[in-house]
Amino acid sequence: MRRAAFFTHLTDAHRLDVVEQLIPLAQEGGMPMTHLAMAFTIAHPGVTSAIIGPRTMSHLDDLLAGIDVALTDDILDRIDEIVPPGTDVGTLDQAYVPPPSRARPCVVDPSLNGAPPDCVDLPPCAHFCWPAVSFT
């Protein structure tokens, strides 16, 4: 298929390669990847807390078991060799552009002096106002 060639930039190959390099590092440190990831996040001087999103109690138990893991300077340096500081391996998520809103535009009346118009036929959270139509 020729179309498949257009979507090669939307693969997880680079991210998976990074993970494959981090797995042995976690194993050498005697910890699961979840503990390595949490400890790396908390080791950053600009991070005061880490937000976790466990789906199950076993996920939560695993994350809490690694709360006191501290990474050595050697492990932190090796992580920096795998993913140099400032490198972004998550561009696939950031490149996502949501589909356009299906809400209809509101008519903009210049006499409103920049105030949003009343879209009485739409609930307040559903309307999306922009100057699509102008009275001038």
Side-chain angles (χ1 to χ4, degrees), residues 68-109:
D68 293 323
V69 172
L71 301 179
T72 64
D73 288 339
D74 179 54
I75 291 178
L76 290 170
D77 290 342
R78 290 176 62 194
I79 292 172
D80 286 347
E81 290 172 6
I82 296 169
V83 183
T87 301
D88 185 3
V89 295
T91 56
L92 181 62
D93 295 332
Q94 295 168 358
Y96 174 74
V97 176
S101 172
R102 291 182 181 234
R104 69 167 178 75
C106 296
V107 175
V108 175
D109 184 348

Short mmCIF file of all heavy atoms in Angstrom, two decimals, residues 68-109:
data_model
loop_
_atom_site.label_atom_id
_atom_site.label_comp_id
_atom_site.label_asym_id
_atom_site.label_seq_id
_atom_site.Cartn_x
_atom_site.Cartn_y
_atom_site.Cartn_z
N ASP A 68 10.08 5.05 47.88
CA ASP A 68 11.36 5.43 48.49
C ASP A 68 12.57 5.13 47.61
O ASP A 68 13.70 5.28 48.07
CB ASP A 68 11.51 4.73 49.84
CG ASP A 68 10.49 5.22 50.86
OD1 ASP A 68 10.18 6.42 50.84
OD2 ASP A 68 10.00 4.39 51.65
N VAL A 69 12.34 4.74 46.36
CA VAL A 69 13.46 4.44 45.46
C VAL A 69 14.16 5.74 45.10
O VAL A 69 13.53 6.72 44.72
CB VAL A 69 12.96 3.73 44.19
CG1 VAL A 69 14.08 3.60 43.16
CG2 VAL A 69 12.38 2.37 44.52
N ALA A 70 15.46 5.74 45.28
CA ALA A 70 16.29 6.89 44.87
C ALA A 70 17.32 6.38 43.87
O ALA A 70 17.99 5.37 44.12
CB ALA A 70 16.97 7.51 46.08
N LEU A 71 17.44 7.05 42.77
CA LEU A 71 18.38 6.63 41.73
C LEU A 71 19.76 7.19 42.01
O LEU A 71 19.91 8.33 42.43
CB LEU A 71 17.89 7.10 40.37
CG LEU A 71 16.51 6.60 39.94
CD1 LEU A 71 16.13 7.16 38.58
CD2 LEU A 71 16.45 5.08 39.93
N THR A 72 20.76 6.38 41.74
CA THR A 72 22.14 6.83 41.91
C THR A 72 22.51 7.78 40.77
O THR A 72 21.84 7.80 39.72
CB THR A 72 23.11 5.63 41.90
OG1 THR A 72 23.05 5.02 40.61
CG2 THR A 72 22.76 4.61 42.99
N ASP A 73 23.58 8.52 40.97
CA ASP A 73 24.05 9.42 39.91
C ASP A 73 24.42 8.64 38.66
O ASP A 73 24.23 9.11 37.54
CB ASP A 73 25.24 10.24 40.40
CG ASP A 73 24.83 11.31 41.40
OD1 ASP A 73 23.64 11.68 41.41
OD2 ASP A 73 25.72 11.78 42.15
N ASP A 74 24.94 7.42 38.84
CA ASP A 74 25.32 6.58 37.71
C ASP A 74 24.09 6.22 36.87
O ASP A 74 24.11 6.33 35.64
CB ASP A 74 26.01 5.30 38.19
CG ASP A 74 26.39 4.39 37.03
OD1 ASP A 74 27.07 4.88 36.10
OD2 ASP A 74 25.99 3.21 37.05
N ILE A 75 23.01 5.82 37.52
CA ILE A 75 21.79 5.47 36.79
C ILE A 75 21.22 6.71 36.09
O ILE A 75 20.81 6.65 34.94
CB ILE A 75 20.76 4.81 37.72
CG1 ILE A 75 21.23 3.42 38.15
CG2 ILE A 75 19.39 4.72 37.04
CD1 ILE A 75 20.33 2.69 39.10
N LEU A 76 21.21 7.84 36.79
CA LEU A 76 20.70 9.07 36.17
C LEU A 76 21.54 9.46 34.96
O LEU A 76 20.99 9.88 33.93
CB LEU A 76 20.67 10.21 37.19
CG LEU A 76 19.63 10.08 38.30
CD1 LEU A 76 19.86 11.14 39.37
CD2 LEU A 76 18.22 10.19 37.73
N ASP A 77 22.86 9.29 35.05
CA ASP A 77 23.73 9.59 33.91
C ASP A 77 23.46 8.66 32.74
O ASP A 77 23.47 9.08 31.58
CB ASP A 77 25.20 9.51 34.32
CG ASP A 77 25.62 10.63 35.24
OD1 ASP A 77 24.90 11.66 35.31
OD2 ASP A 77 26.68 10.49 35.91
N ARG A 78 23.22 7.39 33.05
CA ARG A 78 22.95 6.42 31.99
C ARG A 78 21.61 6.69 31.33
O ARG A 78 21.46 6.52 30.11
CB ARG A 78 23.04 5.01 32.54
CG ARG A 78 24.50 4.66 32.88
CD ARG A 78 24.68 3.33 33.52
NE ARG A 78 24.25 2.24 32.64
CZ ARG A 78 24.07 0.99 33.07
NH1 ARG A 78 24.28 0.69 34.34
NH2 ARG A 78 23.67 0.07 32.23
N ILE A 79 20.63 7.14 32.09
CA ILE A 79 19.35 7.53 31.49
C ILE A 79 19.57 8.72 30.56
O ILE A 79 19.02 8.77 29.46
CB ILE A 79 18.31 7.85 32.58
CG1 ILE A 79 17.91 6.58 33.35
CG2 ILE A 79 17.07 8.51 31.96
CD1 ILE A 79 17.03 6.83 34.56
N ASP A 80 20.39 9.66 31.01
CA ASP A 80 20.68 10.84 30.17
C ASP A 80 21.42 10.46 28.89
O ASP A 80 21.29 11.14 27.88
CB ASP A 80 21.50 11.87 30.94
CG ASP A 80 20.67 12.62 31.97
OD1 ASP A 80 19.42 12.53 31.91
OD2 ASP A 80 21.28 13.30 32.82
N GLU A 81 22.18 9.36 28.90
CA GLU A 81 22.83 8.89 27.69
C GLU A 81 21.80 8.30 26.72
O GLU A 81 21.92 8.46 25.51
CB GLU A 81 23.88 7.83 28.02
CG GLU A 81 25.11 8.37 28.73
CD GLU A 81 26.05 7.28 29.20
OE1 GLU A 81 25.82 6.08 28.88
OE2 GLU A 81 27.02 7.60 29.91
N ILE A 82 20.80 7.63 27.27
CA ILE A 82 19.76 7.01 26.44
C ILE A 82 18.83 8.09 25.88
O ILE A 82 18.49 8.08 24.69
CB ILE A 82 18.97 5.96 27.24
CG1 ILE A 82 19.90 4.81 27.65
CG2 ILE A 82 17.78 5.44 26.44
CD1 ILE A 82 19.30 3.85 28.67
N VAL A 83 18.41 9.00 26.75
CA VAL A 83 17.53 10.10 26.35
C VAL A 83 18.17 11.38 26.87
O VAL A 83 17.98 11.76 28.01
CB VAL A 83 16.11 9.94 26.96
CG1 VAL A 83 15.20 11.06 26.46
CG2 VAL A 83 15.52 8.59 26.63
N PRO A 84 18.97 12.04 26.04
CA PRO A 84 19.64 13.26 26.50
C PRO A 84 18.64 14.30 26.99
O PRO A 84 17.53 14.40 26.46
CB PRO A 84 20.38 13.75 25.24
CG PRO A 84 20.52 12.55 24.38
CD PRO A 84 19.32 11.70 24.66
N PRO A 85 19.01 15.07 28.01
CA PRO A 85 18.11 16.12 28.52
C PRO A 85 17.64 17.04 27.38
O PRO A 85 18.42 17.42 26.52
CB PRO A 85 18.98 16.88 29.53
CG PRO A 85 20.00 15.88 29.96
CD PRO A 85 20.27 15.03 28.76
N GLY A 86 16.37 17.33 27.39
CA GLY A 86 15.78 18.18 26.36
C GLY A 86 15.27 17.42 25.16
O GLY A 86 14.63 17.99 24.29
N THR A 87 15.53 16.11 25.11
CA THR A 87 15.06 15.29 24.00
C THR A 87 13.60 14.94 24.24
O THR A 87 13.20 14.62 25.35
CB THR A 87 15.87 13.98 23.90
OG1 THR A 87 17.24 14.33 23.72
CG2 THR A 87 15.40 13.12 22.76
N ASP A 88 12.81 14.99 23.19
CA ASP A 88 11.39 14.66 23.29
C ASP A 88 11.12 13.39 22.50
O ASP A 88 11.23 13.40 21.28
CB ASP A 88 10.55 15.82 22.76
CG ASP A 88 9.08 15.62 22.95
OD1 ASP A 88 8.67 14.60 23.54
OD2 ASP A 88 8.31 16.48 22.50
N VAL A 89 10.80 12.33 23.19
CA VAL A 89 10.47 11.09 22.49
C VAL A 89 8.96 10.90 22.40
O VAL A 89 8.50 9.89 21.91
CB VAL A 89 11.12 9.85 23.16
CG1 VAL A 89 12.62 9.92 23.07
CG2 VAL A 89 10.65 9.68 24.58
N GLY A 90 8.20 11.88 22.86
CA GLY A 90 6.75 11.76 22.86
C GLY A 90 6.05 12.65 21.86
O GLY A 90 4.91 13.02 22.07
N THR A 91 6.72 12.98 20.75
CA THR A 91 6.10 13.89 19.79
C THR A 91 4.85 13.32 19.15
O THR A 91 4.03 14.08 18.65
CB THR A 91 7.10 14.29 18.69
OG1 THR A 91 7.59 13.10 18.08
CG2 THR A 91 8.24 15.09 19.26
N LEU A 92 4.68 12.02 19.14
CA LEU A 92 3.49 11.43 18.53
C LEU A 92 2.24 11.96 19.22
O LEU A 92 1.28 12.34 18.57
CB LEU A 92 3.56 9.91 18.61
CG LEU A 92 2.40 9.14 17.98
CD1 LEU A 92 2.31 9.42 16.49
CD2 LEU A 92 2.55 7.66 18.22
N ASP A 93 2.23 12.00 20.54
CA ASP A 93 1.07 12.51 21.27
C ASP A 93 0.89 14.00 21.04
O ASP A 93 -0.21 14.49 20.90
CB ASP A 93 1.21 12.26 22.77
CG ASP A 93 1.21 10.78 23.10
OD1 ASP A 93 0.60 10.01 22.34
OD2 ASP A 93 1.82 10.41 24.11
N GLN A 94 1.99 14.74 21.01
CA GLN A 94 1.90 16.18 20.87
C GLN A 94 1.53 16.59 19.46
O GLN A 94 1.06 17.70 19.24
CB GLN A 94 3.23 16.82 21.27
CG GLN A 94 3.52 16.61 22.73
CD GLN A 94 4.94 16.99 23.08
OE1 GLN A 94 5.72 17.38 22.22
NE2 GLN A 94 5.28 16.87 24.34
N ALA A 95 1.71 15.71 18.49
CA ALA A 95 1.37 16.03 17.12
C ALA A 95 -0.12 15.82 16.84
O ALA A 95 -0.61 16.18 15.78
CB ALA A 95 2.20 15.18 16.16
N TYR A 96 -0.85 15.28 17.80
CA TYR A 96 -2.28 15.03 17.60
C TYR A 96 -3.03 16.35 17.50
O TYR A 96 -2.86 17.25 18.31
CB TYR A 96 -2.84 14.21 18.76
CG TYR A 96 -4.34 14.05 18.69
CD1 TYR A 96 -4.91 13.21 17.76
CD2 TYR A 96 -5.17 14.76 19.54
CE1 TYR A 96 -6.28 13.06 17.67
CE2 TYR A 96 -6.54 14.62 19.47
CZ TYR A 96 -7.10 13.77 18.54
OH TYR A 96 -8.45 13.64 18.46
N VAL A 97 -3.84 16.46 16.49
CA VAL A 97 -4.68 17.63 16.31
C VAL A 97 -6.12 17.14 16.35
O VAL A 97 -6.52 16.34 15.50
CB VAL A 97 -4.39 18.34 14.96
CG1 VAL A 97 -5.34 19.50 14.75
CG2 VAL A 97 -2.95 18.77 14.89
N PRO A 98 -6.89 17.59 17.34
CA PRO A 98 -8.26 17.11 17.43
C PRO A 98 -9.08 17.58 16.23
O PRO A 98 -8.76 18.59 15.61
CB PRO A 98 -8.77 17.74 18.73
CG PRO A 98 -7.87 18.88 19.00
CD PRO A 98 -6.56 18.56 18.37
N PRO A 99 -10.15 16.84 15.92
CA PRO A 99 -10.98 17.26 14.80
C PRO A 99 -11.64 18.60 15.10
O PRO A 99 -11.81 18.96 16.27
CB PRO A 99 -12.01 16.14 14.69
CG PRO A 99 -11.99 15.45 16.00
CD PRO A 99 -10.63 15.65 16.57
N PRO A 100 -12.02 19.34 14.07
CA PRO A 100 -12.64 20.64 14.31
C PRO A 100 -13.96 20.49 15.04
O PRO A 100 -14.63 19.47 14.95
CB PRO A 100 -12.84 21.21 12.91
CG PRO A 100 -12.72 20.06 11.98
CD PRO A 100 -11.90 19.01 12.66
N SER A 101 -14.31 21.53 15.76
CA SER A 101 -15.56 21.54 16.51
C SER A 101 -16.73 21.45 15.56
O SER A 101 -16.72 22.04 14.48
CB SER A 101 -15.65 22.83 17.33
OG SER A 101 -16.92 22.95 17.90
N ARG A 102 -17.76 20.75 15.98
CA ARG A 102 -18.97 20.65 15.16
C ARG A 102 -19.98 21.73 15.52
O ARG A 102 -21.03 21.82 14.92
CB ARG A 102 -19.59 19.28 15.33
CG ARG A 102 -18.75 18.19 14.73
CD ARG A 102 -19.44 16.86 14.87
NE ARG A 102 -18.60 15.84 14.30
CZ ARG A 102 -19.01 15.00 13.38
NH1 ARG A 102 -20.23 15.05 12.95
NH2 ARG A 102 -18.18 14.10 12.89
N ALA A 103 -19.65 22.53 16.52
CA ALA A 103 -20.55 23.61 16.91
C ALA A 103 -20.59 24.66 15.82
O ALA A 103 -19.59 24.94 15.18
CB ALA A 103 -20.10 24.23 18.23
N ARG A 104 -21.75 25.23 15.62
CA ARG A 104 -21.84 26.25 14.59
C ARG A 104 -21.31 27.57 15.12
O ARG A 104 -21.36 27.83 16.32
CB ARG A 104 -23.28 26.41 14.14
CG ARG A 104 -24.17 27.04 15.18
CD ARG A 104 -25.48 27.45 14.54
NE ARG A 104 -26.39 28.02 15.50
CZ ARG A 104 -26.28 29.24 16.02
NH1 ARG A 104 -25.30 30.02 15.66
NH2 ARG A 104 -27.15 29.68 16.90
N PRO A 105 -20.76 28.39 14.25
CA PRO A 105 -20.26 29.69 14.72
C PRO A 105 -21.40 30.62 15.09
O PRO A 105 -22.49 30.54 14.53
CB PRO A 105 -19.50 30.21 13.51
CG PRO A 105 -20.13 29.54 12.34
CD PRO A 105 -20.57 28.18 12.83
N CYS A 106 -21.16 31.49 16.02
CA CYS A 106 -22.13 32.50 16.39
C CYS A 106 -21.90 33.72 15.51
O CYS A 106 -20.79 33.97 15.06
CB CYS A 106 -21.97 32.91 17.86
SG CYS A 106 -22.30 31.55 18.98
N VAL A 107 -22.93 34.48 15.29
CA VAL A 107 -22.82 35.70 14.51
C VAL A 107 -22.26 36.78 15.42
O VAL A 107 -22.69 36.95 16.56
CB VAL A 107 -24.19 36.11 13.95
CG1 VAL A 107 -24.10 37.45 13.23
CG2 VAL A 107 -24.72 35.03 13.03
N VAL A 108 -21.25 37.50 14.96
CA VAL A 108 -20.63 38.54 15.76
C VAL A 108 -21.19 39.90 15.34
O VAL A 108 -21.12 40.28 14.18
CB VAL A 108 -19.09 38.51 15.61
CG1 VAL A 108 -18.46 39.66 16.35
CG2 VAL A 108 -18.56 37.19 16.08
N ASP A 109 -21.73 40.60 16.30
CA ASP A 109 -22.30 41.92 16.07
C ASP A 109 -21.33 42.96 16.61
O ASP A 109 -21.03 42.96 17.80
CB ASP A 109 -23.65 42.02 16.78
CG ASP A 109 -24.37 43.32 16.54
OD1 ASP A 109 -23.75 44.26 16.01
OD2 ASP A 109 -25.57 43.40 16.87
#
